[in-house]
């Protein structure tokens, strides 16, 4: 016979595993949306451009080693030519001003800005559609 504590621990483990499976599925869907987006851009003749990382809260930006397309007008989100998703907000740095910054890719979300202020979250599919129309 198992104790109540052991049953609760097992339920928590199962719950965490289910959440991880759901997140992996959403990430796979979002990656496919980005792959289709890039294919559409290439078919339309929209060339990738060098991406710059924005210093949070300012108009300053730093060079990156990335080439791709911005997803938002404020250039805070981008996708590179390989389909990696980037959040381009970085802290101010004297070294970065001279040498540039290295930005690591993030798992793309199905809803961009989820948990942000009202009106700032948007399904990724809608964001990509708006970007293609601009």
């Amino acid at each position: 016979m198992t104790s109540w504590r052991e049953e609760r621990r097992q339920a928590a483990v199962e719950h965490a595993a289910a959440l991880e499976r759901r997140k992996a599925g959403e990430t796979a869907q979002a990656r496919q949306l980005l792959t289709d987006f890039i294919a559409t851009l290439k078919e339309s003749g929209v060339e990738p451009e060098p991406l710059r990382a924005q210093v949070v809260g300012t108009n300053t930006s730093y060079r990156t080693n990335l080439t791709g397309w911005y997803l938002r007008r404020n250039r805070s989100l981008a996708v590179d030519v390989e389909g990696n998703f980037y959040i381009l907000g970085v802290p101010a740095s004297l070294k970065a001003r001279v040498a540039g910054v290295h930005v690591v890719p993030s798992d793309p979300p199905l809803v961009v800005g989820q948990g942000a202020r009202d009106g700032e979250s948007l399904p990724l599919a809608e964001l990509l559609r708006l970007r293609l129309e601009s």
Side-chain angles (χ1 to χ4, degrees):
M1 184 170 165
T2 59
S3 70
W4 178 85
R5 181 173 289 160
E6 180 60 27
E7 288 174 8
R8 295 306 323 142
R9 189 193 67 73
Q10 185 60 34
V13 167
E14 290 171 11
H15 183 70
L19 285 174
E20 189 60 36
R21 284 190 303 273
R22 190 185 96 227
K23 183 173 179 354
E26 289 178 358
T27 298
Q29 287 178 323
R31 287 192 192 283
Q32 186 59 52
L33 289 170
L34 291 173
T35 300
D36 296 345
F37 172 74
I38 291 170
T40 302
L41 286 174
K42 287 181 177 179
E43 288 170 8
S44 301
V46 178
E47 294 294 322
E49 62 183 289
L51 300 174
R52 297 182 64 85
Q54 302 295 123
V55 176
V56 178
T58 71
N59 290 328
T60 305
S61 65
Y62 301 141
R63 288 185 323 273
T64 71
N65 61 341
L66 304 171
T67 303
W69 300 270
Y70 294 104
L71 301 178
R72 288 202 152 163
R73 289 180 195 255
N74 68 3
R75 298 180 169 221
S76 62
L77 301 176
V79 61
D80 71 7
V81 293
E82 285 104 31
N84 296 309
F85 177 81
Y86 292 90
I87 300 170
L88 295 176
V90 295
S93 160
L94 183 58
K95 180 181 175 186
R97 185 178 291 265
V98 175
V101 292
H102 175 74
V103 184
V104 295
S106 302
D107 286 338
L110 276 179
V111 178
V112 175
Q114 190 166 20
R117 296 182 301 214
D118 286 345
E120 291 186 0
S121 65
L122 188 66
L124 180 61
E126 178 71 9
L127 176 65
L128 298 177
R129 183 187 66 74
L130 291 170
R131 172 60 174 87
L132 288 171
E133 291 175 356
S134 63

